[in-house]
Amino acid sequence: MDSAFIELLRRQLKLDPAVEITADSSLRDLGMDSMRSIELLFAVEDTYDITLPDDELNDTTFGTPGNLWRAVHAQLPGEPVTS
């Protein structure tokens, strides 16, 4: 995960700077709900100029920052697609 991604999560989830965000943090525990997940999806796609595939739009992908970053990273130009 890069620092811009962490800051994007922090802004979208309206988190205090003191709250630690790790790859394994539960996005639900950090305040993610269904409306915020949609807002986060749009923000991620706009920020990174990508479109997440439909099969990545699930609870597992949006379960932790690490899972979401892996899905984002796989869509970045020049990045190898991993299954």
PDB file of all heavy atoms in Angstrom, residues 1 13-14 17 19 25 27 30-31 39 42 47 49 52 62-63 65 72 74-75 83:
ATOM      1  N   MET A   1       0.850  -1.176   0.000  1.00  0.00           N
ATOM      2  CA  MET A   1       0.000   0.000   0.000  1.00  0.00           C
ATOM      3  C   MET A   1       0.889   1.230   0.000  1.00  0.00           C
ATOM      4  O   MET A   1       1.906   1.247   0.674  1.00  0.00           O
ATOM      5  CB  MET A   1      -0.877   0.024   1.253  1.00  0.00           C
ATOM      6  CG  MET A   1      -1.858  -1.114   1.350  1.00  0.00           C
ATOM      7  SD  MET A   1      -3.049  -0.961   2.693  1.00  0.00           S
ATOM      8  CE  MET A   1      -2.049  -0.677   4.121  1.00  0.00           C
ATOM      9  N   LEU A  13     -13.043   7.517   5.075  1.00  0.00           N
ATOM     10  CA  LEU A  13     -13.609   6.956   6.308  1.00  0.00           C
ATOM     11  C   LEU A  13     -13.657   7.983   7.436  1.00  0.00           C
ATOM     12  O   LEU A  13     -14.093   7.666   8.531  1.00  0.00           O
ATOM     13  CB  LEU A  13     -12.809   5.722   6.739  1.00  0.00           C
ATOM     14  CG  LEU A  13     -12.843   4.567   5.742  1.00  0.00           C
ATOM     15  CD1 LEU A  13     -11.897   3.453   6.180  1.00  0.00           C
ATOM     16  CD2 LEU A  13     -14.258   4.033   5.581  1.00  0.00           C
ATOM     17  N   LYS A  14     -13.185   9.214   7.136  1.00  0.00           N
ATOM     18  CA  LYS A  14     -13.199  10.311   8.103  1.00  0.00           C
ATOM     19  C   LYS A  14     -12.505   9.920   9.415  1.00  0.00           C
ATOM     20  O   LYS A  14     -13.029  10.087  10.498  1.00  0.00           O
ATOM     21  CB  LYS A  14     -14.625  10.785   8.354  1.00  0.00           C
ATOM     22  CG  LYS A  14     -15.285  11.318   7.081  1.00  0.00           C
ATOM     23  CD  LYS A  14     -16.729  11.636   7.283  1.00  0.00           C
ATOM     24  CE  LYS A  14     -17.449  12.185   6.081  1.00  0.00           C
ATOM     25  NZ  LYS A  14     -17.036  11.905   4.770  1.00  0.00           N
ATOM     26  N   PRO A  17      -6.118  11.320  12.286  1.00  0.00           N
ATOM     27  CA  PRO A  17      -4.747  10.951  11.899  1.00  0.00           C
ATOM     28  C   PRO A  17      -4.070   9.986  12.882  1.00  0.00           C
ATOM     29  O   PRO A  17      -3.140   9.278  12.497  1.00  0.00           O
ATOM     30  CB  PRO A  17      -4.007  12.282  11.864  1.00  0.00           C
ATOM     31  CG  PRO A  17      -5.076  13.301  11.660  1.00  0.00           C
ATOM     32  CD  PRO A  17      -6.310  12.763  12.332  1.00  0.00           C
ATOM     33  N   VAL A  19      -5.411   7.345  14.169  1.00  0.00           N
ATOM     34  CA  VAL A  19      -5.883   5.978  13.954  1.00  0.00           C
ATOM     35  C   VAL A  19      -4.943   5.275  12.985  1.00  0.00           C
ATOM     36  O   VAL A  19      -4.699   5.750  11.880  1.00  0.00           O
ATOM     37  CB  VAL A  19      -7.326   5.968  13.398  1.00  0.00           C
ATOM     38  CG1 VAL A  19      -7.752   4.551  13.039  1.00  0.00           C
ATOM     39  CG2 VAL A  19      -8.280   6.595  14.380  1.00  0.00           C
ATOM     40  N   SER A  25      -6.175  -4.241   8.814  1.00  0.00           N
ATOM     41  CA  SER A  25      -7.253  -3.582   9.556  1.00  0.00           C
ATOM     42  C   SER A  25      -8.595  -3.944   8.929  1.00  0.00           C
ATOM     43  O   SER A  25      -8.709  -4.095   7.715  1.00  0.00           O
ATOM     44  CB  SER A  25      -7.108  -2.060   9.500  1.00  0.00           C
ATOM     45  OG  SER A  25      -5.936  -1.612  10.114  1.00  0.00           O
ATOM     46  N   LEU A  27     -11.913  -2.855   7.561  1.00  0.00           N
ATOM     47  CA  LEU A  27     -12.519  -1.609   7.103  1.00  0.00           C
ATOM     48  C   LEU A  27     -13.858  -1.364   7.803  1.00  0.00           C
ATOM     49  O   LEU A  27     -14.211  -0.223   8.074  1.00  0.00           O
ATOM     50  CB  LEU A  27     -12.680  -1.612   5.581  1.00  0.00           C
ATOM     51  CG  LEU A  27     -11.371  -1.479   4.806  1.00  0.00           C
ATOM     52  CD1 LEU A  27     -11.615  -1.628   3.306  1.00  0.00           C
ATOM     53  CD2 LEU A  27     -10.685  -0.156   5.102  1.00  0.00           C
ATOM     54  N   LEU A  30     -13.213   0.252  10.979  1.00  0.00           N
ATOM     55  CA  LEU A  30     -12.774   1.630  10.770  1.00  0.00           C
ATOM     56  C   LEU A  30     -13.913   2.544  10.317  1.00  0.00           C
ATOM     57  O   LEU A  30     -13.700   3.722  10.058  1.00  0.00           O
ATOM     58  CB  LEU A  30     -11.639   1.677   9.748  1.00  0.00           C
ATOM     59  CG  LEU A  30     -10.331   1.019  10.183  1.00  0.00           C
ATOM     60  CD1 LEU A  30      -9.340   1.005   9.027  1.00  0.00           C
ATOM     61  CD2 LEU A  30      -9.742   1.734  11.384  1.00  0.00           C
ATOM     62  N   GLY A  31     -15.136   1.989  10.213  1.00  0.00           N
ATOM     63  CA  GLY A  31     -16.296   2.804   9.886  1.00  0.00           C
ATOM     64  C   GLY A  31     -16.912   2.578   8.525  1.00  0.00           C
ATOM     65  O   GLY A  31     -17.834   3.294   8.134  1.00  0.00           O
ATOM     66  N   GLU A  39     -18.852   5.108  -2.055  1.00  0.00           N
ATOM     67  CA  GLU A  39     -18.085   6.352  -2.161  1.00  0.00           C
ATOM     68  C   GLU A  39     -16.596   6.057  -2.305  1.00  0.00           C
ATOM     69  O   GLU A  39     -15.891   6.701  -3.097  1.00  0.00           O
ATOM     70  CB  GLU A  39     -18.344   7.239  -0.951  1.00  0.00           C
ATOM     71  CG  GLU A  39     -19.760   7.784  -0.896  1.00  0.00           C
ATOM     72  CD  GLU A  39     -20.095   8.449   0.427  1.00  0.00           C
ATOM     73  OE1 GLU A  39     -19.273   8.419   1.370  1.00  0.00           O
ATOM     74  OE2 GLU A  39     -21.204   9.012   0.521  1.00  0.00           O
ATOM     75  N   PHE A  42     -15.784   4.817  -5.879  1.00  0.00           N
ATOM     76  CA  PHE A  42     -15.687   5.933  -6.828  1.00  0.00           C
ATOM     77  C   PHE A  42     -14.400   6.717  -6.623  1.00  0.00           C
ATOM     78  O   PHE A  42     -13.728   7.091  -7.589  1.00  0.00           O
ATOM     79  CB  PHE A  42     -16.890   6.865  -6.707  1.00  0.00           C
ATOM     80  CG  PHE A  42     -18.185   6.258  -7.180  1.00  0.00           C
ATOM     81  CD1 PHE A  42     -19.387   6.629  -6.593  1.00  0.00           C
ATOM     82  CD2 PHE A  42     -18.230   5.318  -8.200  1.00  0.00           C
ATOM     83  CE1 PHE A  42     -20.592   6.090  -7.026  1.00  0.00           C
ATOM     84  CE2 PHE A  42     -19.427   4.775  -8.639  1.00  0.00           C
ATOM     85  CZ  PHE A  42     -20.614   5.163  -8.042  1.00  0.00           C
ATOM     86  N   THR A  47      -9.219   8.392  -8.435  1.00  0.00           N
ATOM     87  CA  THR A  47      -7.853   8.730  -8.041  1.00  0.00           C
ATOM     88  C   THR A  47      -6.823   7.977  -8.868  1.00  0.00           C
ATOM     89  O   THR A  47      -5.826   8.556  -9.310  1.00  0.00           O
ATOM     90  CB  THR A  47      -7.639   8.432  -6.543  1.00  0.00           C
ATOM     91  OG1 THR A  47      -8.549   9.240  -5.781  1.00  0.00           O
ATOM     92  CG2 THR A  47      -6.218   8.721  -6.114  1.00  0.00           C
ATOM     93  N   ASP A  49      -7.489   6.274 -11.716  1.00  0.00           N
ATOM     94  CA  ASP A  49      -7.897   6.193 -13.113  1.00  0.00           C
ATOM     95  C   ASP A  49      -7.997   4.738 -13.581  1.00  0.00           C
ATOM     96  O   ASP A  49      -7.414   4.342 -14.597  1.00  0.00           O
ATOM     97  CB  ASP A  49      -6.948   6.991 -14.012  1.00  0.00           C
ATOM     98  CG  ASP A  49      -7.546   7.245 -15.393  1.00  0.00           C
ATOM     99  OD1 ASP A  49      -8.775   7.275 -15.514  1.00  0.00           O
ATOM    100  OD2 ASP A  49      -6.762   7.383 -16.346  1.00  0.00           O
ATOM    101  N   LEU A  52     -12.406  -1.108 -11.292  1.00  0.00           N
ATOM    102  CA  LEU A  52     -12.285  -2.431 -10.681  1.00  0.00           C
ATOM    103  C   LEU A  52     -13.270  -3.372 -11.355  1.00  0.00           C
ATOM    104  O   LEU A  52     -14.429  -3.016 -11.584  1.00  0.00           O
ATOM    105  CB  LEU A  52     -12.583  -2.363  -9.178  1.00  0.00           C
ATOM    106  CG  LEU A  52     -11.528  -1.674  -8.322  1.00  0.00           C
ATOM    107  CD1 LEU A  52     -11.979  -1.615  -6.861  1.00  0.00           C
ATOM    108  CD2 LEU A  52     -10.192  -2.374  -8.412  1.00  0.00           C
ATOM    109  N   PHE A  62     -13.300  -5.518  -0.141  1.00  0.00           N
ATOM    110  CA  PHE A  62     -13.522  -4.348   0.690  1.00  0.00           C
ATOM    111  C   PHE A  62     -13.458  -4.684   2.185  1.00  0.00           C
ATOM    112  O   PHE A  62     -13.889  -3.896   3.012  1.00  0.00           O
ATOM    113  CB  PHE A  62     -14.863  -3.685   0.343  1.00  0.00           C
ATOM    114  CG  PHE A  62     -14.797  -2.906  -0.936  1.00  0.00           C
ATOM    115  CD1 PHE A  62     -14.941  -3.535  -2.163  1.00  0.00           C
ATOM    116  CD2 PHE A  62     -14.568  -1.545  -0.921  1.00  0.00           C
ATOM    117  CE1 PHE A  62     -14.866  -2.830  -3.348  1.00  0.00           C
ATOM    118  CE2 PHE A  62     -14.480  -0.818  -2.098  1.00  0.00           C
ATOM    119  CZ  PHE A  62     -14.630  -1.463  -3.309  1.00  0.00           C
ATOM    120  N   GLY A  63     -12.876  -5.830   2.513  1.00  0.00           N
ATOM    121  CA  GLY A  63     -12.756  -6.239   3.915  1.00  0.00           C
ATOM    122  C   GLY A  63     -11.590  -5.596   4.642  1.00  0.00           C
ATOM    123  O   GLY A  63     -11.693  -5.246   5.818  1.00  0.00           O
ATOM    124  N   PRO A  65      -7.808  -2.977   4.064  1.00  0.00           N
ATOM    125  CA  PRO A  65      -7.049  -2.122   3.157  1.00  0.00           C
ATOM    126  C   PRO A  65      -6.115  -2.921   2.244  1.00  0.00           C
ATOM    127  O   PRO A  65      -5.962  -2.597   1.068  1.00  0.00           O
ATOM    128  CB  PRO A  65      -6.258  -1.213   4.096  1.00  0.00           C
ATOM    129  CG  PRO A  65      -7.093  -1.134   5.325  1.00  0.00           C
ATOM    130  CD  PRO A  65      -7.692  -2.518   5.449  1.00  0.00           C
ATOM    131  N   VAL A  72      -6.696  -2.848  -6.460  1.00  0.00           N
ATOM    132  CA  VAL A  72      -6.336  -1.600  -7.142  1.00  0.00           C
ATOM    133  C   VAL A  72      -5.023  -1.776  -7.892  1.00  0.00           C
ATOM    134  O   VAL A  72      -4.905  -1.462  -9.077  1.00  0.00           O
ATOM    135  CB  VAL A  72      -6.232  -0.436  -6.130  1.00  0.00           C
ATOM    136  CG1 VAL A  72      -5.593   0.797  -6.754  1.00  0.00           C
ATOM    137  CG2 VAL A  72      -7.603  -0.100  -5.545  1.00  0.00           C
ATOM    138  N   ALA A  74      -3.534  -4.333  -9.024  1.00  0.00           N
ATOM    139  CA  ALA A  74      -3.628  -5.233 -10.172  1.00  0.00           C
ATOM    140  C   ALA A  74      -4.176  -4.521 -11.408  1.00  0.00           C
ATOM    141  O   ALA A  74      -3.932  -4.965 -12.537  1.00  0.00           O
ATOM    142  CB  ALA A  74      -4.483  -6.435  -9.840  1.00  0.00           C
ATOM    143  N   GLN A  75      -4.891  -3.423 -11.218  1.00  0.00           N
ATOM    144  CA  GLN A  75      -5.491  -2.701 -12.339  1.00  0.00           C
ATOM    145  C   GLN A  75      -4.614  -1.547 -12.844  1.00  0.00           C
ATOM    146  O   GLN A  75      -4.906  -0.953 -13.870  1.00  0.00           O
ATOM    147  CB  GLN A  75      -6.852  -2.144 -11.943  1.00  0.00           C
ATOM    148  CG  GLN A  75      -7.868  -3.210 -11.584  1.00  0.00           C
ATOM    149  CD  GLN A  75      -8.015  -4.262 -12.665  1.00  0.00           C
ATOM    150  OE1 GLN A  75      -8.201  -3.910 -13.835  1.00  0.00           O
ATOM    151  NE2 GLN A  75      -7.916  -5.528 -12.300  1.00  0.00           N
ATOM    152  N   SER A  83      -3.966 -13.538  -9.870  1.00  0.00           N
ATOM    153  CA  SER A  83      -5.273 -14.121  -9.551  1.00  0.00           C
ATOM    154  C   SER A  83      -5.419 -14.341  -8.075  1.00  0.00           C
ATOM    155  O   SER A  83      -4.566 -14.147  -7.294  1.00  0.00           O
ATOM    156  CB  SER A  83      -5.454 -15.430 -10.291  1.00  0.00           C
ATOM    157  OG  SER A  83      -4.352 -16.275 -10.100  1.00  0.00           O
TER     158      SER A  83
END
